Amino acid sequence: MKPAFPLLLMATLISTAALAAQPEALVAPSAFKGVHGLAMDQQDRLLAGSVVGGSIYHVDIANGDVSTFIGPDQGQADDIAIGPKGEMAWTGFYLGKLMYREHDEAPIRVLAENLPGINSTAFNQKTGQLYASQVFLGDALWEMDVSGKRQPRLIAKDMGGFNGFEVGADGWLYGPLWFKGKVVRINPADGEIQTVAEGFGTPAAANFDSKGTLYVVDTKAGTLVRVDTASGETTDVAQLDTSLDNLAIDGQDRIFISNMADNSIEQVDPQTGDARIITKGELAVPAGLTISEDGKTIYIADIFAFRSVNTATGEVTDIRRAHGSDVEYPAAVGLGKDRLLLTSFSTNTLQIIDRTNLATLAMIHELKAPSDAIELEDGSVVVSEMASGSLIRLTGDELETRTELANGLHGPVQMLLGQDGMIYLTEAAGFLTRVDPASGDVTRIAKDLAMPEGLAQTKEGHWIIAETAAQRLTEINIETGERKVIAENLPIGLAASPGMPPSGIPTGVAVDAEGTVYFGSDIDNGLYRIRR
């Protein structure tokens, strides 16, 4: 029997439940939300940028303390560069802007905009000339005017992803071609490209030390590599984890390396290859999550990784790491009978993984900002698309046939198959919604929710929803319309950065058979549980 309850009346039945226990951290918080660009400024401050976090941070090298240096959204930085006079420039990847300021007290200026995927930037330390490149959402290299009076000058395009570069003593720009597995130098005068070294997996960034030695990080191999720019000879200096993003070298030739999947910054001795962790997290950016039938394992779409967590011990296990595997920035994970369903709204993909051997069974592209996916009893898959406001049903041996099941949805976020065989999902517009998988009929069974995202169903059939705009978890009995606040003042509800969906990083929720509730934090990157 389908519940029927007046929405207006249900919206008024709100009560606060006494908490059996406060949220406790199953996996500890960490400092960043993915860490990318690094720079050492003239005051010997190590600065680190986060695109998802929309901020630039100051990292204390000695004790690992992290503080916000420039906050959202002006601080969104995929790369950071320090000029010869101490000026600073940084790239707002989703903003499509290059930001700049002369010193800490100077106003922030936008030197260039409308450059989607602006990624890396560097100064010529002799002349003060500033350069920046687009990668992933574009493929171009530009010279920028620090006065802001002239438009950027195009140097080259369609290079193959000129990432993490630096200006050499000869005035040429040295850096990796992400998609071609090699390091090149580019003449900024005419765009001439010369190969310096080859044989990399996915080279991510290159920097010179004080002696003119070039170091490169390979994100796919997880290595720090020394490159002889004259001969092209390469030497592995250190073996680290995959998902490396950037590096910075200070005046003492100490090398600092960021890892986006670990929220980590490490200091590496270039002579011995020994590494010291300055700061690190167990999770990167926890988003959608689900729990195994026995309640022993949580699967987390961690944006820069796909991971599992042992609910008894809190131990985190890597299943996939960004750029060290085939995973593509997962933001949600659905649990099928034999399959795990990962969706990424940033790459428009659905990845299907075998639960037994964790092999990738399929990679489906060209979806419209998919926010979640579920498996129906007949083995077909339903994907929610934020960009189209639709549910798409995938059928066939290769899930090659796409049929619209439902439309007219207002920002579908998270989705589950209910105990009654119906599809339930949250809509960013404030609804808990039921969709009949047979007919596609849409029924909104709760409204006036505050940016609802993650949802889970208890064994009693009630729905637990993360109302992120109110920073609370709410339980709804759809038979009676009663609402209970399970917990409030939670570390959830990070505002969405420009270029991201309204829900931003979705807050995942799961519940086990005993009623213990789990949720991820998009504020501090921890995983929490509430024992009820």
Side-chain angles (χ1 to χ4, degrees):
M1 177 179 176
K2 297 180 181 178
F5 198 86
L7 289 174
L8 182 61
L9 179 58
M10 181 168 60
T12 65
L13 293 177
I14 300 175
S15 63
T16 301
L19 295 180
Q22 293 295 318
E24 58 179 299
L26 180 61
V27 180
S30 58
F32 310 110
K33 293 170 181 59
V35 57
H36 308 293
L38 297 179
M40 184 68 70
D41 70 7
Q42 293 185 354
Q43 301 176 54
D44 290 329
R45 296 178 299 192
L46 180 61
L47 305 179
S50 173
V51 173
V52 175
S55 300
I56 296 174
Y57 303 90
H58 171 224
V59 181
D60 190 306
I61 296 170
N63 58 28
D65 288 346
V66 178
S67 58
T68 301
F69 188 65
I70 300 175
D73 286 308
Q74 286 184 310
Q76 185 184 107
D78 203 2
D79 196 16
I80 306 166
I82 306 299
K85 298 179 181 178
E87 61 270 52
M88 183 170 75
W90 62 99
T91 55
F93 183 84
Y94 283 127
L95 297 172
K97 297 178 180 180
L98 179 69
M99 271 77 72
Y100 171 89
R101 72 180 184 188
E102 283 84 3
H103 50 79
D104 288 3
E105 288 71 39
I108 296 172
R109 295 192 284 121
V110 176
L111 296 185
E113 51 189 337
N114 300 317
L115 294 173
I118 189 165
N119 188 291
S120 300
T121 187
F123 285 95
N124 184 315
Q125 297 298 319
K126 295 178 181 177
T127 67
Q129 290 170 290
L130 178 62
Y131 306 96
S133 66
Q134 291 169 272
V135 187
F136 304 116
L137 303 181
D139 191 355
L141 174 63
W142 305 86
E143 180 181 357
M144 301 296 179
D145 176 26
V146 295
S147 73
K149 297 178 181 179
R150 297 188 302 274
Q151 292 296 310
R153 177 179 69 87
L154 179 64
I155 297 171
K157 63 179 181 178
D158 301 327
M159 301 161 290
F162 192 52
N163 207 59
F165 66 91
E166 194 167 52
V167 182
D170 57 3
W172 287 53
L173 313 185
Y174 289 73
L177 295 184
W178 180 283
F179 298 106
K180 294 185 177 181
K182 60 184 180 180
V183 172
V184 300
R185 53 176 162 241
I186 300 178
N187 187 338
D190 58 13
E192 178 187 357
I193 301 176
Q194 297 178 358
T195 298
V196 174
E198 298 182 278
F200 297 92
T202 305
N207 270 34
F208 288 99
D209 68 8
S210 64
K211 304 176 184 66
T213 303
L214 187 66
Y215 289 89
V216 176
V217 289
D218 188 329
T219 186
K220 185 175 183 178
T223 52
L224 173 66
V225 181
R226 184 183 298 113
V227 176
D228 186 318
T229 56
S231 67
E233 181 182 355
T234 61
T235 304
D236 287 354
V237 175
Q239 179 63 61
L240 307 169
D241 286 328
T242 59
S243 301
L244 305 177
D245 194 282
N246 212 310
L247 75 164
I249 305 177
D250 69 2
Q252 303 174 49
D253 287 340
R254 296 180 297 180
I255 300 176
F256 304 93
I257 298 175
S258 62
N259 189 307
M260 65 189 98
D262 292 334
N263 274 348
S264 73
I265 297 175
E266 297 176 80
Q267 180 183 333
V268 178
D269 186 326
Q271 302 304 316
T272 66
D274 293 339
R276 177 181 72 89
I277 295 174
I278 296 173
T279 181
K280 183 179 181 180
E282 292 296 318
L283 298 175
V285 190
L289 55 86
T290 189
I291 192 167
S292 61
E293 296 87 348
D294 60 10
K296 295 180 179 180
T297 304
I298 290 177
Y299 297 98
I300 298 184
D302 202 19
I303 302 297
F304 298 107
F306 176 44
R307 293 177 156 123
S308 65
V309 179
N310 184 309
T311 57
T313 65
E315 180 183 1
V316 178
T317 300
D318 289 344
I319 300 175
R320 297 282 198 287
R321 295 170 66 90
H323 307 303
S325 70
D326 58 359
V327 76
E328 296 186 1
Y329 305 122
V333 53
L335 187 74
K337 180 181 178 182
D338 301 307
R339 301 178 291 182
L340 295 161
L341 313 174
L342 296 179
T343 47
S344 171
F345 58 71
S346 61
T347 62
N348 299 316
T349 55
L350 165 65
Q351 182 175 5
I352 300 179
I353 295 175
D354 188 302
R355 286 182 62 179
T356 302
N357 59 20
L358 300 178
T360 295
L361 301 175
M363 187 74 82
I364 298 168
H365 295 89
E366 298 181 357
L367 296 165
K368 298 176 181 177
S371 59
D372 209 350
I374 59 171
E375 181 181 275
L376 299 182
E377 293 181 1
D378 62 2
S380 62
V381 172
V382 175
V383 178
S384 55
E385 293 184 331
M386 284 185 286
S388 68
S390 303
L391 298 188
I392 305 298
R393 188 169 187 164
L394 307 179
T395 57
D397 293 340
E398 305 295 329
L399 299 176
E400 70 280 1
T401 302
R402 303 184 186 188
T403 306
E404 185 178 81
L405 174 64
N407 57 30
L409 301 172
H410 303 295
V413 185
Q414 302 275 270
M415 183 168 56
L416 276 180
L417 189 64
Q419 295 164 3
D420 57 1
M422 297 289 112
I423 298 170
Y424 291 82
L425 59 102
T426 51
E427 296 180 72
F431 302 114
L432 172 62
T433 300
R434 181 180 62 237
V435 177
D436 187 329
S439 65
D441 290 344
V442 176
T443 305
R444 293 188 169 96
I445 56 177
K447 68 174 185 178
D448 298 326
L449 297 166
M451 188 57 79
E453 294 180 2
L455 77 163
Q457 190 173 28
T458 68
K459 66 179 181 181
E460 295 82 12
H462 302 169
W463 289 96
I464 296 174
I465 299 174
E467 291 190 83
T468 59
Q471 295 188 298
R472 68 188 176 212
L473 294 179
T474 301
E475 182 176 357
I476 299 178
N477 182 337
I478 61 175
E479 294 286 347
T480 66
E482 182 183 8
R483 300 186 186 187
K484 296 179 182 179
V485 175
I486 296 174
E488 53 191 344
N489 301 316
L490 302 176
I492 61 176
L494 179 73
S497 297
M500 299 184 70
S503 56
I505 300 300
T507 295
V509 177
V511 60
D512 65 17
E514 283 70 44
T516 298
V517 180
Y518 300 85
F519 69 92
S521 170
D522 57 0
I523 300 293
D524 65 22
N525 317 305
L527 175 65
Y528 293 85
R529 66 182 168 198
I530 301 172
R531 302 179 190 268
R532 303 174 68 199

